[in-house]
Amino acid sequence: EPEVTQTPSHQVTQMGQEVILRCVPISNHLYFYWYRQILGQKVEFLVSFYNNEISEKSEIFDDQFSVERPDGSNFTLKIRSTKLEDSAMYFCASSLAARGDTQYFGPGTRLTVL
Amino acid sequence: RKEVEQDPGPFNVPEGATVAFNCTYSNSASQSFFWYRQDCRKEPKLLMSVYSSGNEDGRFTAQLNRASQYISLLIRDSKLSDSATYLCVVISATGANSKLTFGKGITLSVRP
């Protein structure tokens, strides 16, 4: 069964450093998403991406964040200058269509900012 | 009012018990509704979609009441493997995409 994959599974970084989290969505999916979950809290939407551009973003997704689809398979989330409060689990998701279609989640990257 | 609000937990039940979870949502324009399951330190996985007519999948029954903006999940004959956090999820489709709005989740522990 096709699945979303994410690398690395765990990333440890120093405050102020840049990190890039990588995702490979399901191959025929067209819509891509990033969510985050701070430990003990709910899953929060960050950004959605379609046709090589951002469709929607949340208040969390400020200028420190960017997304890119550098080739036909990868979808990346970059945090330019990490802060302690960026420590969280970051989930990538993809869906075939929009408007209510099932979103399939990757296993997540645990980001720890020291 | 929170966008998606779930019953506080946790729930601790014996095997074989029936347990019900409730969820309310604030945006009347919400279009799609789901229950996801999340195991500890894992990704959310779709359990079932929720339809206005109500739907059943084995031991799981989901109901939607649009007038009251209320969603429920009923689990019959609980198994040890049902132990997880159950997330109420709502989509209010905007533009070309649909962001998922999650409730905080309710943790179920099924004991032998």
Side-chain angles (χ1 to χ4, degrees), chain A residues 44-69:
Chain A
E44 299 173 290
F45 169 79
L46 292 178
V47 65
S48 57
F49 191 87
Y50 168 71
N51 200 26
N52 281 320
E53 59 184 29
I54 290 174
S55 301
E56 186 175 3
K57 58 184 181 180
S58 71
E59 292 174 356
I60 303 167
F61 194 88
D62 61 22
D63 292 343
Q64 293 296 315
F65 291 87
S66 62
V67 289
E68 195 177 30
R69 189 154 162 82

Side-chain angles (χ1 to χ4, degrees), chain A residues 15-41:
Chain A
M15 192 170 57
Q17 295 296 303
E18 175 182 286
V19 294
I20 297 176
L21 310 183
R22 291 183 167 78
C23 168
V24 179
I26 293 173
S27 61
N28 63 336
H29 283 188
L30 302 175
Y31 297 84
F32 314 115
Y33 312 85
W34 283 101
Y35 294 84
R36 81 169 185 193
Q37 187 175 31
I38 295 170
L39 188 64
Q41 298 188 24

